[in-house]
Amino acid sequence: MTAIWWVVVLVGLGMGWMVSRLVRYPGGWAYAFHEEHQEERQALADARSAVRKLRETARRETTQAQTAVKRAEWAHRRQVRRVESELEQLRNPDRGALVEQLGGIALHEHAVLVGGDELELAGMEVRFELAKSSHVSYVYLTQPDGRQHMERYEDEEFPEDTVRRFSVQVQNAAAAARRLSEKRAEDIRVLEGKLGEAREATGPVEAAQERLEKTRARHDADPKLPRARAALDDARKEWQDLTGRRPL
């Protein structure tokens, strides 16, 4: 069965080759295959090859130039996106990891969570108070806009020293966050400048586009392809005069 299959394949390939040759050199079997017309067939083949090579060269060089434009554009967009991403992270920092939680107050690296509310840590003022008539401690959190939150701690569950220590920890974290916020504001200013520079840094893209336009213009102005096409038309006409059939 395998041998028969290979015979069928070879016969099919042979038939395809003959049909293709008859199409490329129309006019009949003799014109397509006989040695008598080898010179005419070769002239037509050479004319076709010259046009094909010139077209392939123009297409290859134009494609390379187009690829260079796309790469330059991609590199430019990547640089802009990188700076934009850094800016987004600075402008909208996350709360960071949990540092410590005491009762309803959860201290994170960059924020304080109270219940379901996230309070800005930078600029926060923290005050500890101890009730005189009962064993209760209070921690007051004052936000930069003046709003306050109070958290109550029963001494039985939360000893005074623990609450005091925690309030100091929050206050120190708020001071550190304020310094970090000031630095972040400066970093944002610097990055905004870099973003403007990155967006305007289109020199490589413009240079690649200019090379593409020059490549296209050079091939459009090159007389070789028109001459090769004219030579192919002459070869086709000669074949038509010989056979009565005009080849493709």
Side-chain angles (χ1 to χ4, degrees):
M1 187 66 181
T2 302
I4 296 175
W5 183 84
W6 277 110
V7 170
V8 172
V9 170
L10 292 174
V11 170
L13 291 174
M15 291 295 295
W17 176 80
M18 285 189 294
V19 171
S20 173
R21 192 174 179 88
L22 288 168
V23 171
R24 287 185 291 117
Y25 305 103
W29 186 271
Y31 296 107
F33 294 98
H34 286 185
E35 186 68 25
E36 178 184 356
H37 300 291
Q38 171 64 28
E39 184 176 342
E40 291 87 351
R41 288 196 301 270
Q42 189 62 49
L44 184 57
D46 290 344
R48 284 168 169 165
S49 176
V51 171
R52 182 175 63 254
K53 288 179 179 178
L54 287 170
R55 283 175 174 169
E56 288 175 351
T57 298
R59 187 182 303 111
R60 181 180 66 255
E61 293 181 356
T62 301
T63 299
Q64 290 173 345
Q66 289 172 332
T67 301
V69 170
K70 291 179 180 178
R71 287 176 176 171
E73 290 174 340
W74 178 80
H76 179 254
R77 288 195 299 269
R78 181 181 62 178
Q79 177 64 13
V80 170
R81 285 197 298 266
R82 184 186 66 79
V83 180
E84 287 177 339
S85 177
E86 292 180 11
L87 260 177
E88 178 65 20
Q89 292 176 2
L90 285 174
R91 288 169 175 166
N92 300 288
D94 57 24
R95 67 181 63 143
L98 177 65
V99 177
E100 189 168 346
Q101 180 166 359
L102 193 69
I105 299 178
L107 173 62
H108 287 255
E109 290 178 320
H110 309 300
V112 172
L113 290 183
V114 181
D117 298 326
E118 182 174 324
L119 310 182
E120 185 179 355
L121 186 56
M124 177 179 289
E125 294 295 332
V126 184
R127 187 174 84 255
F128 170 85
E129 285 188 2
L130 181 64
K132 297 179 180 179
S133 58
S134 60
H135 299 289
V136 176
S137 299
Y138 296 92
V139 173
Y140 294 88
L141 304 178
T142 304
Q143 299 178 66
D145 61 5
R147 289 179 297 169
Q148 285 191 334
H149 174 84
M150 182 191 74
E151 190 71 14
R152 186 174 186 274
Y153 295 96
E154 296 285 348
D155 187 63
E156 183 177 344
E157 184 177 359
F158 300 101
E160 176 187 340
D161 287 346
T162 300
V163 180
R164 282 183 182 276
R165 181 190 59 79
F166 180 68
S167 65
V168 171
Q169 185 178 16
V170 175
Q171 181 62 57
N172 290 337
R178 182 172 59 251
R179 292 191 297 270
L180 181 61
S181 178
E182 292 170 355
K183 181 180 182 303
R184 186 164 61 243
E186 175 60 21
D187 290 342
I188 289 174
R189 186 189 66 77
V190 171
L191 273 179
E192 285 175 340
K194 288 184 178 180
L195 179 58
E197 293 174 357
R199 286 173 173 168
E200 293 176 0
T202 57
V205 176
E206 293 169 358
Q209 289 173 338
E210 184 178 355
R211 286 193 296 270
L212 172 59
E213 293 304 318
K214 287 183 177 179
T215 299
R216 286 171 170 166
R218 176 165 54 82
H219 286 295
D220 289 343
D222 191 350
K224 293 179 183 178
L225 183 56
R227 286 201 297 263
R229 287 172 175 167
L232 178 56
D233 285 339
D234 291 341
R236 286 168 172 165
K237 186 177 184 305
E238 290 177 3
W239 187 269
Q240 185 176 12
D241 292 342
L242 175 67
T243 66
R245 297 286 301 278
R246 184 175 179 82
L248 298 176

